[in-house]
Amino acid sequence: MDRFTTLSAPAAPLALDNVDTDQIIPARFMKRSRAEGYGPVLLHDLRFDEAGAPRPDFVLNTARHAGAKVLVAGRNFGSGSSREAAVYALWDYGIRCVIAPSFGDIFASNAVKNGLLPARVSEEDAATLQAWLNSANDTQLQVDLESCTITAGGQTIPFSIDPVRRTQLLNGWDDIDLTRERAAAIASFRTARAQAEPWAMAPPAA
Amino acid sequence: MSAPRTLFDKLWDSHVVAEREDGEALLWIDRHFVHEGSHHAFRAVAARNAGLAEPGLTFGVADHYVPTRGRPAIADAGIAGMVTQLSDNAARHGFRLFGLDDPAQGIVHVVGPEQGLTLPGLSVVCGDSHTSTHGAFGALAFGIGASEVAHVLMTQTLWQKKPKRMRIAVHGPLGPHVTAKDLALHVIATVGANGAHGHAVEYQGEAIRALSMESRLTLCNMSIEAGARSALIAPDDTTFAYLAGRPHAPSGADLNRAIALWRTLATDEGASFDREVEIDAAAIAPTVTFGTSPEDALPITARVPDAPALADALAYMGLAPGQRLVGIPVDRVFIGSCTNGRLEDLRAAAAVLRGRRAAVPGLVSPGSTLIKQAAEAEGLHTVFLDAGLEWADSGCSMCVGMNGDLIASGQRCASTTNRNFRGRQGQGARTHLMSPAMAAAAAIAGHLADVRDYPPLER
């Protein structure tokens, strides 16, 4: 997976709570293969009207914030469906970090496995960052995963992330390779489990 | 003597294969359900030229994208391709598939329990957030993303951080016409849509013990809407009675041995939780949502609240603060989904609809093909058809908007599903969540209605 260490990139405010994964990528677009790219359908129904025309007032359609690589969102970002396609859509659009007061749990896990940083900040700091992005001369944020800080216009704000997820992002480790080193432990666990709870091994239907 | 443990602790401990210094545990997975939407994960397996670690513990179900009318034909080429891909993967890797042509096909969270694949004490995962459903058996069950699905396919294990433990105790009995769905919506409104984030929830209390197995599934299903990746109810005689005779459940001496072990899973006296929530069952009324998050739920007797934070949601929903919930006109109803598509749900809706006509169109999609058969055997389908509703095949249908069953933009749906998210049931669709009986009442009235005003007619 991709590593994440530091990022200096333009950001956009998305001042909405509960932006669920159905909004990040509506289900009707999930038949496509990854090769087609999910970026064009990111936040589709917020970005485009029912005729497919860009909604001029939506933040990613404004000249100021088009092409942002960081989103500063409201609480419970990525809640709902477990669809990893939500992360694909963000990633393929170019987003590398989402800053929010809280995240859907499965989304945060999916994000890290694809190299995208879910950075948790307080509600106040999220609001401050959003206000700054709306009014400052530039929209550039610096995100540093080593120190868990965000710098905007000379101000530094701390963010939090589960330490294990932080390490995963910093190292870009592949879970499956790490797990395969445990093959012996897995095999002996399986044997013990089959003895203790034989029904756990799913007998074929009678 | 060892320290008292919660049900969750016991399930966790019995699945830990290895632990890392950073606190992550490698968990053994007993049941892995995949569906046609799991194609990204199978592609990851193919990219590594890998096989499945445990095809015998892997079960495929075609549910998310499948049409509910005109089967077995699939008009949409993209969907047909996904369903074929799942069949191809099942054949290639040798796992059991409940495909479109299987008499036991249905929604994965209905099929697993129905087939006796979901059992107390097991770990269950699926690339679907509503996997929390299976926790109703006292199983460690949670939804995962595509990368994790690929990891389970290749290793039958998963790295996880142990969540915190939360107890939700529901005191006293539920009132008449108050169902597990009303309880679930009430809980979500109480703790918030991310209120149980990072926690595994265990439901306890008199109201929970009194719930049928099907109702327990409804309650655990909705727990993800409070942010909890998994939910639990300790197995008891209700659980064991449900499991007896299921095709994949243990039988005979094995079942007795299993039940003896399952009885030891309940939370020990004196075990502690990280967070406790107390709910008074008597305070819960038939409940509906009014906004675009499941936490926006109120008794049907209430009015749309006036709060600045709700302005966007109310604009989307086309509602005004202060408006009575009863009387909000609906354009159609949907009865079905992994939340409320079981036989008990269909019976509850039919009890209200029997002898009455729906004022608006609606769709009824049973949770599984076996449930469809059982419902037809007792004549429920004629109740729905006589009322003017459509009786369809089983699938995720109008819950998820992937399969052609959609609400038109601006239309309002009384729905027994789990998510009233913007666009969930179609671009611009407006969803009100409620129980099957409440959806039936809305169908008859043509607007949101209190089921208590629609007593069953004499037969």
Side-chain angles (χ1 to χ4, degrees):
Chain A
M1 60 175 255
D2 289 276
R3 294 174 58 174
F4 189 108
T5 49
T6 59
L7 176 70
S8 179
L14 184 62
L16 295 169
D17 288 340
N18 295 318
V19 175
D20 53 75
T21 55
D22 274 85
Q23 290 184 79
I24 298 172
I25 177 168
R28 62 185 186 278
F29 299 118
M30 285 170 46
K31 284 174 276 182
R32 61 173 62 201
S33 81
R34 184 71 187 275
E36 287 177 72
Y38 278 57
V41 296
L42 171 69
L43 294 163
H44 185 279
D45 295 351
L46 290 171
R47 269 166 80 195
F48 304 101
D49 66 19
E50 284 166 37
R55 298 180 193 272
D57 52 341
F58 184 68
V59 65
L60 292 178
N61 294 333
T62 62
R64 181 174 172 83
H65 294 293
K69 292 189 177 304
V70 181
L71 285 181
V72 183
R75 76 177 170 93
N76 210 19
F77 184 87
S79 52
S81 158
S82 62
R83 61 189 69 168
E84 201 158 304
V87 177
Y88 305 158
L90 289 161
W91 185 271
D92 291 355
Y93 180 87
I95 305 287
R96 295 293 176 266
C97 170
V98 180
I99 298 166
S102 58
F103 293 92
D105 206 20
I106 305 176
F107 171 82
S109 167
N110 292 341
V112 168
K113 290 185 192 314
N114 288 275
L116 188 147
L117 169 64
R120 220 163 51 235
V121 297
S122 68
E123 298 256 3
E124 296 72 32
D125 284 345
T128 302
L129 276 173
Q130 286 164 357
W132 182 82
L133 288 171
N134 281 324
S135 62
N137 289 329
D138 74 314
T139 61
Q140 201 79 4
L141 293 186
Q142 284 78 45
V143 182
D144 186 334
L145 184 55
E146 282 288 356
S147 61
C148 287
T149 54
I150 299 157
T151 308
Q155 293 267 55
T156 297
I157 288 170
F159 71 84
S160 60
I161 179 171
D162 176 83
V164 174
R165 288 179 176 161
R166 176 174 167 272
T167 309
Q168 277 181 334
L169 280 167
L170 287 172
N171 292 329
W173 282 334
D174 186 291
D175 273 350
I176 289 168
D177 291 339
L178 290 178
T179 305
R180 288 208 162 132
E181 294 171 13
R182 313 275 184 156
I186 296 171
S188 59
F189 183 95
R190 186 192 194 284
T191 307
R193 181 128 189 90
Q195 274 177 0
E197 296 177 47
W199 49 86
M201 289 300 159
Chain B
M1 212 182 105
S2 57
R5 292 187 300 163
T6 66
L7 166 59
F8 180 76
D9 294 324
K10 295 178 192 183
L11 293 171
W12 183 270
D13 293 349
S14 66
H15 289 89
V16 173
V17 175
E19 278 174 301
R20 268 193 334 228
E21 282 176 10
D22 61 16
E24 292 261 306
L26 186 65
L27 298 180
W28 174 260
I29 302 303
D30 293 309
R31 298 286 184 273
H32 186 197
F33 294 108
V34 296
H35 55 83
E36 71 273 36
S38 308
H39 58 99
H40 293 292
F42 280 103
R43 197 154 29 251
V45 174
R48 284 175 174 259
N49 280 320
L52 262 53
E54 297 281 352
L57 302 181
T58 308
F59 301 88
V61 184
D63 61 357
H64 275 67
Y65 294 79
V66 300
T68 57
R69 270 75 58 90
R71 293 198 325 215
I74 303 179
D76 182 303
I79 292 175
M82 293 174 84
V83 173
T84 305
Q85 216 177 337
L86 179 65
S87 304
D88 290 349
N89 276 313
R92 179 176 307 127
H93 297 292
F95 60 85
R96 169 78 162 94
L97 173 68
F98 297 90
L100 205 51
D101 54 353
D102 194 294
Q105 178 270 345
I107 307 173
V108 59
H109 308 309
V110 177
V111 170
E114 190 171 73
Q115 291 296 309
L117 287 166
T118 304
L119 299 171
L122 302 189
S123 58
V124 180
V125 298
C126 173
D128 185 277
S129 60
H130 291 106
T131 308
S132 59
T133 309
H134 306 256
F137 287 86
L140 173 60
F142 52 94
I144 57 179
S147 295
E148 291 179 314
V149 170
H151 190 279
V152 178
L153 287 173
M154 289 187 262
T155 69
Q156 204 59 27
T157 62
L158 206 50
W159 290 102
Q160 292 287 299
K161 179 188 175 185
K162 189 175 181 181
K164 293 179 177 163
R165 298 151 304 184
M166 179 169 174
R167 166 161 56 196
I168 298 181
V170 188
H171 303 291
L174 293 171
H177 305 289
V178 178
T179 68
K181 182 63 163 290
D182 303 299
L183 170 57
L185 290 171
H186 180 85
V187 165
I188 298 160
T190 303
V191 305
N194 64 342
H197 177 262
H199 290 76
V201 168
E202 180 181 346
Y203 294 100
Q204 293 185 354
E206 180 186 346
I208 306 301
R209 286 295 128 220
L211 292 179
S212 69
M213 205 57 232
E214 297 185 328
S215 292
R216 293 177 186 186
L217 289 161
T218 300
L219 179 61
C220 289
N221 172 279
M222 290 291 288
S223 302
I224 182 68
E225 310 311 333
R229 215 165 157 180
S230 56
L232 291 166
I233 294 173
D236 59 11
D237 288 336
T238 300
T239 322
F240 310 144
Y242 177 94
L243 286 171
R246 301 273 161 190
H248 292 268
S251 58
D254 258 1
L255 180 60
N256 292 334
R257 189 179 151 204
I259 288 174
L261 192 141
W262 294 339
R263 286 193 194 281
T264 69
L265 291 173
T267 292
D268 297 330
E269 192 80 34
S272 66
F273 289 82
D274 299 288
R275 219 178 127 198
E276 311 223 13
V277 174
E278 313 290 329
I279 302 275
D280 175 12
I284 306 171
T287 301
V288 296
T289 62
F290 58 86
T292 56
S293 165
E295 71 186 1
D296 302 333
L298 281 171
I300 181 65
T301 50
R303 290 172 183 269
V304 175
D306 189 358
L310 288 170
D312 270 2
L314 295 185
Y316 179 86
M317 292 298 291
L319 298 175
Q323 195 174 351
R324 287 180 66 213
L325 292 175
V326 170
I328 293 173
V330 299
D331 299 294
R332 55 182 307 136
V333 300
F334 175 68
I335 297 170
S337 85
C338 62
T339 309
N340 278 128
R342 298 179 185 82
L343 190 57
E344 174 183 290
D345 300 313
L346 301 182
R347 284 177 181 156
V352 177
L353 284 163
R354 187 172 279 115
R356 294 184 168 117
R357 286 283 301 174
V360 293
L363 179 67
V364 185
S365 173
S368 75
T369 304
L370 290 176
I371 288 171
K372 185 178 191 200
Q373 273 178 10
E376 289 177 352
E378 52 188 85
L380 301 183
H381 64 309
T382 58
V383 176
F384 297 124
L385 292 168
D386 289 351
L389 303 181
E390 209 174 340
W391 176 246
D393 287 325
S394 176
C396 295
S397 187
M398 208 173 272
C399 177
V400 70
M402 291 177 179
N403 37 48
D405 293 342
L406 289 169
I407 311 290
S409 183
Q411 291 224 324
R412 192 181 299 283
C413 182
S415 184
T416 69
T417 54
N418 40 58
R419 289 184 172 138
N420 51 345
F421 296 166
R422 287 165 202 249
R424 168 85 174 178
Q425 294 191 297
Q427 190 169 8
R430 294 163 169 167
T431 304
H432 294 269
L433 304 176
M434 64 195 73
S435 74
M438 284 285 285
I444 297 161
H447 55 72
L448 299 188
D450 191 333
V451 65
R452 294 170 294 194
D453 296 334
Y454 295 83
L457 299 177
E458 296 297 322
R459 295 175 76 173

